């Protein structure tokens, strides 16, 4: 019986680059020193991509459930038996249908405690929609499945961590969704994640403004004065080291993000554009604030390069290792919490 961390992997859109980056990552046997990977998909679809990639020295160990996983192999659970036509680069209902089947079965096992973490390969947010998936993306679906009140889309890279107040909503709806309560909730989730998931004892968080020049003292929008600054002040009263609001353009241009442990952006592109520019090749999307661990690469389905053996697995590999690291930190933090002597030593070491 192995005590290695079991990481479930959903394959995403079968016509995208998901299985390509998964197979490339798991082809490195060194991965097995750190976790037991369990892919939720289909051996037939996996074989299609293995042949397309000309990878002849790799195969999956087929199992029926996580308890059968071989800790010395990359494992796969067949989530369906029927033959499926794989069409790399094609956006169709088939890609979305089987992406959801893979995701649903993986999340079922995650919630049941049969796996320790989940890494999700990219989906198409349009073709995956069905009666059981009426969400803008993975983050909202998994938040719903865990019955969590809130969650934080937390982008993590070597030199940058960025979260967003509003996620997958139209730009025209952003301002109405920027409230003091929403900002406070995200700041609390970010603070707690930085401490518990990344072991940063006294995290420093930068908060960006919504408007150009952070409102320029009310000349270019009132949200900073009326909402964002009061939220920051209340956060400080709750013991959160939050500073801002900063104008978003100059903040990243002059490297100010390096002075903070994380940055809270007001909306999706404000946070993700600089993040992807800085950390595109190894960035990770982590859903913070949930009782389960879920990460994903910070890229999409890559239809334009699907099946051509040119997709980089770097971001997916980083997502896999980040999931492993967070599980380990949470486990050890649980042990430390039960032993105040260890907590005191840990605090001294970090200070």
């Amino acid at each position: 019986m192995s005590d290695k961390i079991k990481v479930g992997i959903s394959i995403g859109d079968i016509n995208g680059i998901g299985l390509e980056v998964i197979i490339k990552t798991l082809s490195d046997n060194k991965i097995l020193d750190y976790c037991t990977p369990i892919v939720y998909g289909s051996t037939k679809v996996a074989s299609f991509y293995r042949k397309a990639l000309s990878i002849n020295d790799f195969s999956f160990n087929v199992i029926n459930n996580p308890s059968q996983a071989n800790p010395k192999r990359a494992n796969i659970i067949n989530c369906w038996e029927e033959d499926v036509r794989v069409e790399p680069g094609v956006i169709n209902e088939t890609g979305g249908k089987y992406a959801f089947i893979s995701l649903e079965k993986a999340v079922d096992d995650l919630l049941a405690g049969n796996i320790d973490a989940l890494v999700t390969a990219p989906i198409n947010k349009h073709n995956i929609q069905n009666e059981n998936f009426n969400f803008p993306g993975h983050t909202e679906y998994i938040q719903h499945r865990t019955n969590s009140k809130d969650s934080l889309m937390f982008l993590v890279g070597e030199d940058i961590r960025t979260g967003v107040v509003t996620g997958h909503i139209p730009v025209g709806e952003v301002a109405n969704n920027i409230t003091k309560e929403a900002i406070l909730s995200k700041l609390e989730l970010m603070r707690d994640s930085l401490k518990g998931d990344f072991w940063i004892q006294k995290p420093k968080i930068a908060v960006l403004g919504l408007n150009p020049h952070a409102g320029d003292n009310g000349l270019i929008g009132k949200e900073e004065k009326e909402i964002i600054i009061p939220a920051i002040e209340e956060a400080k009263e709750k013991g959160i080291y939050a500073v801002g609001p900063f104008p978003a353009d100059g903040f990243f241009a002059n490297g100010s993000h390096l002075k903070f442990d994380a940055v809270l952006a007001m909306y999706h592109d404000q946070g993700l554009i600089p993040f992807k520019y800085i950390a595109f090749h190894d960035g990770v999307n982590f859903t913070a604030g949930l009782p389960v661990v879920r990460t994903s690469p910070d890229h999409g389905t890559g239809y334009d390069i699907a099946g051509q053996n040119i997709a980089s697995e770097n971001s997916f590999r980083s997502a896999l290792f980040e999931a492993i690291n967070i599980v380990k930190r949470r486990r050890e933090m649980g042990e430390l919490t039960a032993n105040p002597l260890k907590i005191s030593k840990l605090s001294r070491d970090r200070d």
Side-chain angles (χ1 to χ4, degrees), residues 13-17 49 85-96 124 127 301-308:
D13 194 309
I14 62 171
N15 295 326
I17 62 173
Y49 278 102
R85 184 179 180 184
V86 182
E87 301 177 90
V90 176
I91 304 173
N92 57 26
E93 293 182 1
T94 300
N124 179 308
N127 70 13
T301 51
Y303 290 123
D304 58 326
I305 59 173
Q308 300 175 42

Side-chain angles (χ1 to χ4, degrees), residues 44 53 71 89 111 129 168 173 248 259 271 274-275 293 298:
K44 295 176 183 178
L53 301 173
L111 299 183
Q129 298 296 320
H168 298 120
E173 298 176 13
K259 302 176 184 177
F275 177 85
V293 175
D298 73 344

Side-chain angles (χ1 to χ4, degrees), residues 4-8 110 113-118 292-293 327 331:
K4 279 198 300 185
I5 292 170
K6 291 181 178 178
V7 180
L110 181 66
N114 298 327
I115 55 178
D116 301 304
L118 173 63
V292 296
V293 175
V327 170
R331 285 180 175 179

Side-chain angles (χ1 to χ4, degrees), residues 214-288:
D216 205 1
N217 292 317
L219 293 176
I220 317 176
K222 306 293 184 181
E223 286 83 0
E224 283 76 14
K225 295 183 69 173
E226 297 178 357
I227 299 172
I228 300 175
I229 292 175
I232 293 172
E233 293 303 318
E234 187 166 334
K236 291 178 180 177
E237 293 174 3
K238 294 185 175 184
I240 300 173
Y241 190 142
V243 184
F246 295 99
D249 54 354
F251 181 83
F252 293 101
N254 63 24
S256 293
H257 62 281
L258 297 171
K259 302 176 184 177
F260 294 88
D261 297 302
V263 181
L264 182 65
M266 291 297 112
Y267 58 95
H268 185 280
D269 283 12
Q270 184 189 54
L272 269 69
I273 288 174
F275 177 85
K276 290 192 174 186
Y277 181 80
I278 294 168
F280 182 73
H281 295 293
D282 60 1
V284 174
N285 179 13
F286 166 51
T287 307

Side-chain angles (χ1 to χ4, degrees), residues 73-88:
R73 294 283 304 279
N75 303 273
I76 189 169
I77 294 176
N78 276 315
C79 298
W80 62 87
E81 294 296 336
E82 64 267 26
D83 291 327
V84 177
R85 184 179 180 184
V86 182
E87 301 177 90

